[in-house]
Amino acid sequence: MATIGDLLDVTTIYHEPAVETFPRGREILARYPDATRIAVPSHWNIPALHGNEGSVEDWVRIKRSTLVLGVKKGLTMRPNGRSAHFIAPSTSNGCAMACAYCYVPRRKGFSNPISLFVNVEAACAAIARHATRQGALPEPDTIDPAAWVYDIGENGDLSVDAAICDNVRDLVALFRTLPNAKGSFATKAVNRDLLAYDPQGRTRIRFSLMPARIAKVVDVRTSPIAERIAAIDDFVAAGYEVHVNFSPVILYEGWEADWRALFQEIDGTLSAAAKAQLKCEIILLTHNAGLHAVNLGWHPRAEDLLWRPDIQEAKVSEGGGANVRYRAGWKGRWLARFKAVLDETMPYCTVRYAF
């Protein structure tokens, strides 16, 4: 487990040449004056990082010491309909944390350190234009009762990004100005600097939670579960809408008792105000054979939990990836039992989305 301050010690910055023409790019470069700078044609095409399955012994070192800066090219909104109505253009990709089950490394090399996009103004302008075109939300739905919700952190953890630059502050400020829209992102890190961002109820933070003894194995370099739970009241008081992601739900002998204990801890910690606005998402584990092979090289203990061919089956994801998920015939039963335990211990916590 790590604090925000422990996660990064940037010594190498790969950057597209245009980065230095943007104020945000110059700000970030000035923050790390002693870092070695390496110009690259594209933030997506860095041979030293991409497909670095052979660097498993250096995985965490790469995440800690390497930063990538680029200019976001695509600024389109993708329909979602699950956690959010739309996926907004990313202002980052990759993460300084190293959760053993993370899907993001499959897309951009397995170590996948943080890539930050310095043209945040363009991303904010694109979101604003899109929200204006949407008009009012036609009717309440499971995503939100009154606003269009934009996921602004699909491929990274914005709580950590905020320790490097003001991209997240700018996004939170944007949604204060959009009466028909909210921003939303999931996080496994507690960055209390965000408490000063004045979201005015227009940004939703989703703290990802799982039983602490399992998190100690698979949630590598993240904030402790107890710290995430303890932060919820403070973020609600600071003006955020705070939900929780029970994710990923990993099945093993004794999982039900562990989750019940977690729900009881949440119930015993949260204030009445936090409980009144609390909702959740439930996402059962999806894994990947390629990531399994890589994990065996650096963190095999995690695979004892994640790789369960006796109860998993192959599944092609919506994005076309070949993954493994819990067997369809049993997944529904396990999910139903999970919801039942949640309802027994936290009946006020509405399930917005379960998969």
Side-chain angles (χ1 to χ4, degrees):
M1 299 296 180
T3 65
I4 293 291
D6 293 332
L7 289 174
L8 292 165
D9 181 17
V10 176
T11 59
T12 303
I13 298 177
Y14 294 92
H15 66 92
E16 295 176 351
V19 159
E20 296 181 86
T21 68
F22 290 84
R24 184 56 39 82
R26 294 192 294 272
E27 290 170 13
I28 298 171
L29 290 171
R31 184 182 180 93
Y32 303 103
D34 298 326
T36 299
R37 301 181 187 179
I38 302 172
V40 292
S42 168
H43 68 89
W44 275 108
N45 186 19
I46 304 175
L49 297 180
H50 186 69
N52 52 9
E53 298 95 325
S55 299
V56 292
E57 67 277 6
D58 292 328
W59 194 328
V60 171
R61 180 192 60 78
I62 292 169
K63 283 181 169 290
R64 178 178 175 81
S65 64
T66 303
L67 180 63
V68 180
L69 303 179
V71 178
K72 180 69 174 178
K73 307 303 190 297
L75 296 173
T76 58
M77 312 293 146
R78 293 184 2 248
N80 180 246
R82 291 181 173 180
S83 180
H85 294 103
F86 302 101
I87 306 298
S90 299
T91 56
S92 69
N93 182 290
C95 187
M97 296 180 283
C99 298
Y101 49 80
C102 183
Y103 68 89
V104 176
R106 305 171 202 165
R107 301 183 180 182
K108 189 182 178 183
F110 279 91
S111 180
N112 200 29
I114 294 175
S115 296
L116 290 174
F117 302 124
V118 299
N119 56 332
V120 64
E121 298 90 350
C124 288
I127 295 169
R129 289 192 300 269
H130 189 271
T132 298
R133 291 195 299 269
Q134 296 308 304
L137 186 72
E139 59 185 7
D141 58 28
T142 58
I143 298 171
D144 196 83
W148 297 102
V149 176
Y150 292 76
D151 193 310
I152 54 177
E154 181 190 28
N155 292 323
D157 193 304
L158 299 195
S159 294
V160 182
D161 295 350
I164 302 173
C165 71
D166 282 338
N167 279 4
V168 182
R169 185 188 292 270
D170 292 344
L171 287 163
V172 172
L174 166 70
F175 283 99
R176 285 201 303 264
T177 71
L178 302 179
N180 67 331
K182 290 179 180 177
S184 176
F185 67 93
T187 183
K188 299 183 182 73
V190 177
N191 183 347
R192 291 185 172 274
D193 290 345
L194 274 65
L195 295 173
Y197 285 9
D198 189 27
Q200 299 180 15
R202 309 308 298 175
T203 295
R204 174 186 296 166
I205 290 183
R206 301 166 356 248
F207 282 104
S208 295
L209 302 175
M210 68 170 65
R213 75 180 185 93
I214 303 302
K216 288 179 180 178
V217 178
V218 300
D219 268 13
V220 182
R221 309 188 84 222
T222 64
S223 297
I225 295 294
E227 184 180 346
R228 299 182 216 174
I229 296 171
I232 292 174
D233 277 358
D234 293 336
F235 276 81
V236 170
Y240 289 95
E241 182 180 38
V242 183
H243 291 181
V244 291
N245 282 3
F246 297 126
S247 169
V249 177
I250 300 168
L251 300 179
Y252 53 89
E253 190 71 29
W255 68 267
E256 188 174 324
D258 283 352
W259 279 98
R260 185 184 298 275
L262 174 66
F263 298 153
Q264 290 169 342
E265 180 181 358
I266 298 168
D267 182 63
T269 302
L270 267 54
S271 66
K275 292 177 180 178
Q277 57 85 68
L278 190 69
K279 295 181 181 180
C280 74
E281 300 175 13
I282 304 168
I283 305 173
L284 272 68
L285 173 72
T286 296
H287 201 29
N288 175 274
L291 185 58
H292 166 65
V294 172
N295 283 349
L296 289 176
W298 80 282
H299 192 21
R301 185 181 171 207
E303 288 305 300
D304 293 339
L305 288 165
L306 303 177
W307 191 252
R308 289 289 308 277
D310 55 321
I311 57 173
Q312 291 168 330
E313 64 183 4
K315 177 77 173 182
V316 177
S317 70
E318 290 184 352
N323 300 322
V324 293
R325 296 175 181 170
Y326 294 121
R327 292 181 181 175
W330 285 96
K331 182 178 177 181
R333 302 182 196 182
W334 288 322
L335 184 57
R337 186 56 197 152
F338 186 98
K339 290 180 178 179
V341 175
L342 175 64
D343 190 57
E344 291 166 12
T345 50
M346 296 171 57
Y348 49 83
C349 185
T350 300
V351 177
R352 289 199 304 103
Y353 166 65
F355 179 71

